[in-house]
Amino acid sequence: MKLYHYIFTSILIFSGFIRVYSQQVPIGQWRDELPYTLVNSVTDAGTRIYASTPYAVFYVDKTDNSVVRITKISGLSDIGISCINYNKAYKTLVIAYTNANIDIIKNNEIINISDIKRKPILGNKTINNIFFIGKDAYLSCGFGIVVLDLNKEEIRDTYYIGKDGSQVNVLAMTKDQHDTLFAATEQGIYKALANDPNLSNFSSWRKDARIDTTATYSTITWFAGTVFVNKKKGSNAGDTICSYSGGSWSRFGQAPYSPVMHIESNDQYMLVAYDGFTKAFNTSFELVTNVPGAEYPQYAIPDQDGLMWVGDTYSGLASFNPSTHVVNHISLNGPSTALAFSMTCSGNELYIAPGGIASNYSPIFYKPQVYHYNNSDWKNLEGYNSPLFNQTYAIVSIAIDPNDKKHVFAASFGKGVLEIYNDSAIRRFTSGNSTLSNYAGSDTADVRVGGVAFDGSGNLWAVSSHTNNCLSLKRGNNWTAYNIPIEIDMGKLIVDKHGQVWVQLRYGTMNSNSLMVFTNNGTPDNPADDNFKLLNSSVGSGNIPGTTVLTMAEDKKGEIWVGTEKGIAVFYTPEDIFSGQNFDAQRILITQGSYVQYLLENETVTSIAVDGANQKWVGTDRGGVYLFSEDGTKEIFHFTAENSPLLSNRITCIALNSDGYVFFGTDNGVISFRGSATTGGESNQDVYAFPNPVKEDYDGCIAVRGLVDNAQVKITDVNGVLVYSGHAGSLNGSNCASLSGTNAQTGVFGGQVVWDGRNFDGKKAHTGVYLVFASDDTGAEKVVTKILIID
């Protein structure tokens, strides 16, 4: 059992001479970038309404309508929430996960109970529902019933209720006025007396033969002296709600034949969430109202104040007041889904492509969407708000115009390229209005664009699969096609500072190469001097470890880093690829104890991103994410789902913005980490310190950003006493002591200096105003900003 404490903080806004950034997250802290639209469970906690998504929990405080998120950052132990329920008598929220992990929250503490998750139970361990009797939480599980004692915070018992003690998938439970337990399962309705001391004996449970014993019953409740249960039809034709009263079962005549998502009740109302609408019934079993606010409800409950709450698949949480007919939507900022196939940043603009390409390079017909985050708000682009998206699917790559960050191109693996301006799709390029070519042997509509990227001159490149005209260049409104006679599957691309285009290739029986590098030698209209080279694992032809290149990145020195299923290799002289000289990639040797080995040689590297200090963020398929020094020989961080709020150890993509946020795309969603390194500019611009003011309970890093590259920095008190001196970029990878164990006095990076708020004697700075002086190496660039410390 693992104990966490979570603290929900508020942001205080100060006025005066100090510039305040209320959205800033301190250096070394995490921020979730999760969707809050798919609400799969809702529970009434009196003055709070808790709701869950598969990724997090949030609650609405009804006294002031504030909303608070509870995530892995706050202390949740896992991801993949299946259901929640609140026990009012014991003031405890129970959170169940699909992998049978459990968190309970009481007295502002998150307590993890992982017994079921760790127990070697064969079969389905999912927790489907939570039902309370006194201090006991009855967990409906894929194998039976588990009883959790909320007082002792431990598992009290397990019931295998199937025939001869076999496993049965229990989907929900309830209890009637006669203390009879009803278990809705995939194999009928099971009953037992709640006060039977031998409930762990399967013979205490009887299948009710008065109702179909072979049907699946998905949700159940007791309301106004009657048990109501949903019998699944087995298709989308419709379900049947059955009622039990007076010793017999019958069909509930008020309920329509329609797929039922959930039934919930209190002493006033019973709410039935159908696939498309929600109905509320009173204690006389009469229809009171059709509950508005959700078109695709997953879950609906009545609360103690007479409000009705509905969790929707796409629009989150909404409340309905049947007295005033007022609907209130609870909107939380975030992307529409947790999918992140690739991410692109320019400045502080982040774009996520949620589509995907199958392992055999066939299109995945994901809903066409793009998620745009400007470091403050999310804008989700799709067909309903940008109609051209309806003509595409599976957006897999995004390129941001370096001259206008509102101007974006999104590649669809099957439907060409969308041009987007100011968060609206304005044009779609296909084989009919560009040089993008269709997939060989298919109809002209099948244009599989695996990647798009801008070059240093602001021109757009795009790559198409299975066509000789696989590369296209867009300059202004003009397109140019490049004929390369290799009809194979192609994926992502990058353009290096030499104008060379690097393209991932699908390795397999049709192709023994991993990369293609192309150059038009700076003469796009002269095909005579075009050249391309195919790279693989052979010496002299790339020397790439493994066969499958999954990611590429150009660092600040112009070196090309590639990640494969066998780790990392670096092309240190990519300019030599067409020179006839040796250009082969090299692997990085590191020392582990007394052993010397290649960097991440046993890891599948899925993503590489370069920060402002030329350090390398590296994502893997199973091992989480690493931060390495500039040359890759020193490990600075290794974040996993076990030692950090990282949502999963399977990293799909990484992107960095100009404020130092590192966005990690995982198979469980996106989360960001506030890194120390930002890119320095040619001059001091928009300089500010954060957090500012620094309150007495803060013991983290204080950062000053917006500095010229390699800025000389001094911090003094108002009397001119020096408390800090250093320069941006003096030590790659150093950080505040709380992050890396190094001396934060020298922890400065790129265009940002990081100070731990202590003087040269290691003592915390006293209350007062501190002045920050910065200049470049010549002293020509100077700036002063201020930091208020409250001790």
Side-chain angles (χ1 to χ4, degrees), residues 82-230:
S82 59
C83 56
I84 61 174
N85 205 358
Y86 186 82
N87 188 309
K88 292 181 181 177
Y90 290 85
K91 298 180 180 179
T92 301
L93 179 71
V94 180
I95 303 169
Y97 299 90
T98 54
N99 62 2
N101 205 359
I102 302 167
D103 284 334
I104 64 174
I105 301 179
K106 62 179 180 180
N107 300 322
N108 286 340
E109 293 179 347
I110 300 179
I111 302 163
N112 178 233
I113 301 171
S114 58
D115 303 49
I116 310 174
K117 177 185 177 181
R118 291 184 288 104
K119 190 174 181 179
I121 299 173
L122 296 177
N124 180 7
K125 293 170 66 173
T126 298
I127 300 174
N128 301 302
N129 194 262
I130 304 163
F131 175 71
F132 297 117
I133 301 178
K135 64 180 177 59
D136 291 328
Y138 288 72
L139 310 178
S140 301
C141 301
F143 56 87
I145 299 167
V146 173
V147 183
L148 169 65
D149 188 318
L150 298 182
N151 262 355
K152 295 182 179 180
E153 301 162 5
E154 64 184 20
I155 301 299
R156 182 171 65 77
D157 220 334
T158 301
Y159 308 149
Y160 293 92
I161 67 174
K163 184 179 180 181
D164 299 325
S166 61
Q167 294 186 4
V168 61
N169 188 7
V170 181
L171 298 172
M173 292 185 67
T174 194
K175 181 175 73 73
D176 69 7
Q177 69 271 33
H178 304 298
D179 284 340
T180 300
L181 290 171
F182 293 75
T185 81
E186 283 188 343
Q187 302 171 27
I189 301 291
Y190 284 81
K191 297 168 61 178
L193 293 175
N195 58 6
D196 188 332
N198 296 312
L199 286 176
S200 57
N201 187 334
F202 68 89
S203 62
S204 296
W205 296 84
R206 303 288 183 183
K207 185 181 285 191
D208 195 329
R210 291 166 293 184
I211 191 169
D212 189 345
T213 59
T214 62
T216 293
Y217 298 89
S218 60
T219 178
I220 192 168
T221 192
W222 178 80
F223 175 60
T226 302
V227 174
F228 292 87
V229 67
N230 181 59

Side-chain angles (χ1 to χ4, degrees), residues 404-677:
D404 186 350
K405 294 180 177 60
K406 295 181 180 180
H407 193 207
V408 173
F409 290 84
S412 166
F413 199 70
K415 293 293 180 180
V417 172
L418 277 180
E419 184 178 6
I420 299 169
Y421 190 78
N422 200 22
D423 290 333
S424 181
I426 59 175
R427 190 176 292 105
R428 183 168 73 97
F429 293 104
T430 63
S431 58
N433 61 354
S434 72
T435 57
L436 298 172
S437 295
N438 63 298
Y439 191 84
S442 68
D443 63 80
T444 57
D446 189 1
V447 180
R448 303 184 184 183
V449 181
V452 285
F454 279 93
D455 63 23
S457 300
N459 303 313
L460 179 73
W461 290 84
V463 60
S464 307
S465 288
H466 273 270
T467 169
N468 283 339
N469 292 327
C470 59
L471 269 181
S472 291
L473 172 65
K474 182 179 183 294
R475 294 176 293 159
N477 293 319
N478 299 316
W479 287 83
T480 302
Y482 293 95
N483 185 276
I484 303 173
I486 48 168
E487 292 190 8
I488 57 177
D489 291 310
M490 299 184 172
K492 302 172 187 176
L493 66 84
I494 64 171
V495 186
D496 66 23
K497 68 177 184 179
H498 305 288
Q500 299 174 147
V501 183
W502 299 67
V503 183
Q504 296 173 355
L505 306 179
R506 178 191 177 193
Y507 178 88
T509 55
M510 296 179 62
N511 170 53
S512 60
N513 300 291
S514 304
L515 282 175
M516 178 187 75
V517 184
F518 170 84
T519 180
N520 62 16
N521 279 303
T523 57
D525 297 320
N526 178 19
D529 61 354
D530 295 350
N531 204 351
F532 76 95
K533 190 177 288 289
L534 301 177
L535 308 183
N536 51 45
S537 60
S538 300
V539 174
S541 295
N543 196 30
I544 299 170
T547 59
T548 304
V549 171
L550 299 165
T551 184
M552 302 173 289
E554 182 181 29
D555 75 3
K556 294 187 176 303
K557 293 182 177 179
E559 299 165 356
I560 304 296
W561 290 58
V562 297
T564 77
E565 82 279 14
K566 290 190 176 180
I568 289 175
V570 184
F571 290 90
Y572 290 104
T573 57
E575 65 274 15
D576 289 338
I577 285 181
F578 298 102
S579 69
Q581 302 180 50
N582 177 37
F583 64 87
D584 276 352
Q586 299 178 41
R587 304 177 77 176
I588 299 168
L589 286 171
I590 59 171
T591 302
Q592 295 278 354
S594 58
Y595 297 94
V596 176
Q597 63 186 53
Y598 291 121
L599 179 65
L600 299 181
E601 64 178 327
N602 296 315
E603 293 278 6
T604 296
V605 173
T606 57
S607 49
I608 301 173
V610 181
D611 70 14
N614 208 26
Q615 300 168 140
K616 312 305 187 295
W617 288 95
V618 177
T620 66
D621 184 57
R622 299 286 182 180
V625 65
Y626 297 81
L627 175 62
F628 292 110
S629 59
E630 180 180 9
D631 61 3
T633 60
K634 179 183 177 183
E635 180 185 305
I636 300 164
F637 291 136
H638 180 199
F639 295 133
T640 67
E642 292 73 31
N643 69 12
S644 75
L646 193 66
L647 301 173
S648 169
N649 288 328
R650 177 170 287 179
I651 310 300
T652 58
C653 48
I654 302 175
L656 298 96
N657 74 6
S658 60
D659 270 356
Y661 288 93
V662 189
F663 297 89
F664 305 116
T666 78
D667 58 347
N668 283 329
V670 178
I671 192 168
S672 63
F673 173 80
R674 187 66 182 270
S676 323

